[in-house]
Amino acid sequence: MDAVRDSLLALRARLDRVGVILSGLCLVHCLAGLFLIGVLGLGGGALLAPSIHRVGLGLAVVVGALTIGIGAIRHGRMLPLALGGTGVALMAAAVIAGHGSAEAVLTICGVVLVASAHIVNIRKGAC
């Protein structure tokens, strides 16, 4: 039973790290999009595709629910859950808001909160 528990904990820790990486990639995508489109006028079709944002939100929900939710149940700390839930809500608001400065601000704030939730979850899980 301990081997299964240890395997699940290791998987959750890996998925938390994947969540941090995905959040970072989302942040880079958003900032690069702002720069390339706003400053250089390039890449609008690919970088602004709504499907990219919906897929990213879906990944954030799935990975976050698995890792942060399970982590909160395991270690009993609600801070990662509150950070992650708020971050995902901001990302969802960005998808609804459509393209523009509001979308960029909401997305950036959301991914920073989601990444922070994963980092806190990793640290709480190590205790």
Side-chain angles (χ1 to χ4, degrees):
M1 189 66 175
D2 284 339
V4 172
R5 185 177 147 271
D6 291 343
S7 294
L8 289 175
L9 291 176
L11 177 62
R12 185 189 58 81
R14 280 190 213 106
L15 284 175
D16 267 323
R17 287 176 181 83
V18 167
V20 172
I21 291 167
L22 288 174
S23 294
L25 290 173
C26 185
L27 184 63
V28 168
H29 165 80
C30 191
L31 294 174
L34 289 173
F35 177 76
L36 291 174
I37 294 165
V39 176
L40 302 177
L42 301 171
L47 290 172
L48 295 178
S51 60
I52 291 174
H53 300 118
R54 288 191 296 265
V55 168
L57 178 61
L59 284 171
V61 168
V62 169
V63 172
L66 285 173
T67 60
I68 297 169
I70 291 169
I73 291 168
R74 183 181 166 275
H75 53 62
R77 306 275 167 71
M78 293 298 123
L79 178 61
L81 197 56
L83 288 172
T86 303
V88 168
L90 290 174
M91 292 169 63
V95 168
I96 293 167
H99 298 301
S101 59
E103 176 197 25
V105 170
L106 289 168
T107 301
I108 290 168
C109 291
V111 298
V112 167
L113 286 174
V114 169
S116 299
H118 284 293
I119 291 168
V120 170
N121 203 42
I122 290 168
R123 290 182 179 164
K124 296 295 182 191
C127 296

